[in-house]
Amino acid sequence: MSNPEPPAEGVRLSSATGRWVLACSVLGSGMAMLDGTIVNIALPRIGEGLGATLAALQWTVNGYLLTLAGLILLGGGLGDRYGRRKVFVIGVVWFALASALCGAAPDSGVLIAARALQGVGGALLTPGSLALVQSTYRPQDRAKAVGAWSGLGGVAGAIGPFLGGYLVDGPGWRWIFLINLPLAAVVVAIAVRHVPESRDRTASGSFDILGAVLAALCLAGVTYALISASGHPSPVAVAVPAAAGLACGWVFLRTERRRPSPMLPLSVFASKLFTSMNLVTLCLYAAIGGVFFVLPVQLQIAAGYSALRAGLATLPVTVLMLLLSAPAGALAQRIGPRWPLTVGPLVTACGLLLLTRVSPDTSSYVVDVLPAVVVQGLGMCLFVAPLTATVLASVEVDHAGVASGVNNAAARVAQLLIVAALPLAVGLSDHAYRSPHAVNSAFGKAMLICAGLCAVAAVLAAVLVPSGALREDGAKGPLAQPECAPHCGVLAPPVEPGRPERPGQPEQPA
């Protein structure tokens, strides 16, 4: 890893080095993106192959989200301090080794542990992929490079369901993890040979490792309590981890308030708009995360779809996001974010209510499934880009990196909590996910809950978001039209966590 650092003015996107950097960052982030879309499709087969309970499948998803959400802010700071390429490569190798362990897992316990290790790798490579783009290119090429990174990353989200379904129906569910190995080898080879190293030489101060640990313990305790509760354990078995998790959360907030360089600067929440937008984010991404968790199970177990057909069923959502997210961002720039952030969640809620038509009696994809996912996709197109843009516009530009990272983490925490809580709320537990009748009954309730969360987000946006939040005379922060990566409702912010948007204004690492 001896490549020289990029020239002070940055490299051109059209240069050979520029093309290699883009390819490396897209393939790296695409590997994590594929994992996010493929695993949900494979859950029924994983449960069948390992004889796993629903709680084990929940932890298969949440083991990854838990470590990713807890460490992603720290990952951006590590790259700034020790070298963005170095930390990115470490993350890719870590992710690949954990993927190999997932593919070889003999039981659900090993699989869950391996997924948690995957999340650690994801926390290093996810912010690192965009950090390479932000730090390598010259300023006049940077926006174009970020747009290309996002658009090409969206292709990974589009092929994920197809590839996942093909692998699950073909060589088997273990290959959804093993496929990461050759992909990671290509990424590492490109990075070592063609990607220049960069770092923030003004970064100083200590890393907030204690904050990261406390945040992860808080989420782990609450998640454990929610998942355990659906299995009807003793009250003590639920109350103890819940209390421990909440206690860690309280200590986390006190710690962050006192540290000179906290992982989560609580001062950003002084902006009422920033706080409001993160509440909207929690509601919307909980709803979308819930849908992508239970819909593949409903399609395969209740409606009798193959894994491939179940993966392709939601492809219209990704296609619409790729085509319409940028125009939606431009629309919000012209008319303000309030209407897109109000109408978009309501349209999405209508799509989720239409999904209740999916049942064991479903005979036609075109009649019963396609209209619902199209309406859902149109609604998501309206709110995803405006939501990210408004988050960035709600804080001073020097805090854009922190704001983007916090909002990214909020989206992942929302997914983590909904996967833990939704089966409990709809009465699905243990091995009931293998029963078409039980799954169908729970699915209808789940869609009502997710639609309700979208409606709550719409009300919050209508009441709390000013129409002029994205206008130059009313915005505190950048007027960026962010790109987004449509993979299972996970934000891909235009600035990596822990790094400011403008060159020459470095922040302390998270």
Side-chain angles (χ1 to χ4, degrees):
M1 298 187 186
S2 58
N3 287 7
E5 296 194 5
E9 69 276 8
V11 303
R12 293 176 178 270
L13 179 60
S14 59
S15 67
T17 298
R19 291 192 293 269
W20 280 118
V21 171
L22 182 62
C24 183
S25 61
V26 167
L27 289 173
S29 62
M31 182 171 62
M33 199 175 297
L34 280 171
D35 193 79
T37 55
I38 285 177
V39 171
N40 285 354
I41 297 295
L43 287 177
R45 296 293 182 85
I46 292 174
E48 179 183 343
L50 298 179
T53 64
L54 179 61
L57 297 184
Q58 289 172 273
W59 277 114
T60 299
V61 176
N62 276 353
Y64 177 81
L65 290 173
L66 182 63
T67 51
L68 180 63
L71 299 175
I72 192 169
L73 291 175
L74 186 62
L78 288 171
D80 284 344
R81 177 75 65 85
Y82 296 113
R84 299 181 181 102
R85 185 191 63 172
K86 179 186 295 184
V87 172
F88 172 76
V89 169
I90 291 173
V92 171
V93 173
W94 188 305
F95 192 91
L97 293 176
S99 297
L101 184 57
C102 289
D107 53 50
S108 58
V110 175
L111 178 60
I112 292 166
R115 286 284 287 164
L117 291 173
Q118 256 193 329
V120 177
L124 298 176
L125 76 87
T126 299
S129 65
L130 188 51
L132 293 176
V133 174
Q134 285 288 111
S135 60
T136 300
Y137 296 103
R138 60 179 189 165
Q140 52 266 51
D141 285 355
R142 194 170 293 143
K144 185 177 180 181
V146 170
W149 173 87
S150 179
L152 292 171
V155 174
I159 68 174
F162 170 79
L163 179 61
Y166 169 78
L167 292 174
V168 171
D169 285 341
W173 65 265
R174 295 181 185 275
W175 282 92
I176 68 172
F177 301 111
L178 298 177
I179 196 174
N180 291 329
L181 301 181
L183 185 57
V186 172
V187 173
V188 171
I190 294 175
V192 171
R193 189 174 180 84
H194 299 288
V195 176
E197 182 62 283
S198 65
R199 59 176 54 85
D200 181 0
R201 297 197 177 277
T202 65
S204 62
S206 60
F207 290 105
D208 188 9
I209 297 176
L210 177 60
V213 172
L214 288 171
L217 290 175
C218 171
L219 294 174
V222 174
T223 301
Y224 184 89
L226 290 171
I227 293 178
S228 297
S230 64
H232 310 293
S234 68
V236 174
V238 176
V240 170
L246 293 175
C248 287
W250 180 77
V251 176
F252 169 74
L253 293 176
R254 288 182 61 87
T255 300
E256 298 304 282
R257 187 177 292 113
R258 295 175 177 177
R259 288 186 68 91
S261 300
M263 183 183 77
L264 177 61
L266 299 181
S267 60
V268 296
F269 291 99
S271 166
K272 293 182 179 179
L273 181 57
F274 180 76
T275 303
S276 301
M277 294 313 302
N278 279 284
L279 290 175
V280 173
T281 297
L282 287 171
C283 291
L284 289 177
Y285 284 89
I288 299 305
V291 173
F292 282 106
F293 177 65
V294 299
L295 181 57
V297 179
Q298 171 75 354
L299 289 172
Q300 294 178 69
I301 301 299
Y305 278 37
S306 66
L308 178 58
R309 287 187 66 197
L312 293 176
T314 57
L315 185 59
V317 175
T318 304
V319 173
L320 288 170
M321 292 284 290
L322 285 171
L323 295 176
L324 301 180
S325 286
L331 175 65
Q333 189 77 56
R334 288 198 305 270
I335 68 173
R338 177 186 290 169
W339 281 109
L341 291 175
T342 301
V343 175
L346 292 177
V347 174
T348 302
C350 292
L352 303 188
L353 293 177
L354 286 174
L355 279 175
T356 59
R357 300 175 59 190
V358 179
S359 70
D361 298 325
T362 296
S363 58
S364 171
Y365 170 78
V366 173
V367 174
D368 297 318
V369 183
L370 182 61
V373 295
V374 167
V375 173
Q376 176 192 343
L378 290 173
M380 290 176 61
C381 290
L382 281 174
F383 73 71
V384 170
L387 177 62
T388 311
T390 308
V391 167
L392 293 176
S394 67
V395 298
E396 299 293 341
V397 68
D398 287 349
H399 296 142
V402 171
S404 178
V406 170
N407 191 247
N408 196 312
R412 297 174 193 278
V413 168
Q415 292 179 296
L416 175 75
L417 294 178
I418 196 66
V419 170
L422 197 56
L424 173 64
V426 301
L428 194 65
S429 63
D430 297 329
H431 294 279
Y433 72 91
R434 300 180 185 178
S435 165
H437 174 75
V439 168
N440 186 60
S441 175
F443 178 75
K445 300 173 187 176
M447 290 303 97
L448 292 176
I449 292 172
C450 292
L453 287 170
C454 289
V456 171
V459 172
L460 289 173
V463 173
L464 300 175
V465 178
S467 295
L470 298 181
R471 294 175 187 162
E472 189 168 4
D473 58 352
K476 293 182 180 179
L479 294 173
Q481 177 188 313
E483 302 289 344
C484 58
H487 87 101
C488 291
V490 176
L491 291 173
V495 203
E496 77 273 14
R499 179 174 172 81
E501 182 175 315
R502 291 180 179 173
Q505 295 179 323
E507 290 185 350
Q508 300 295 325

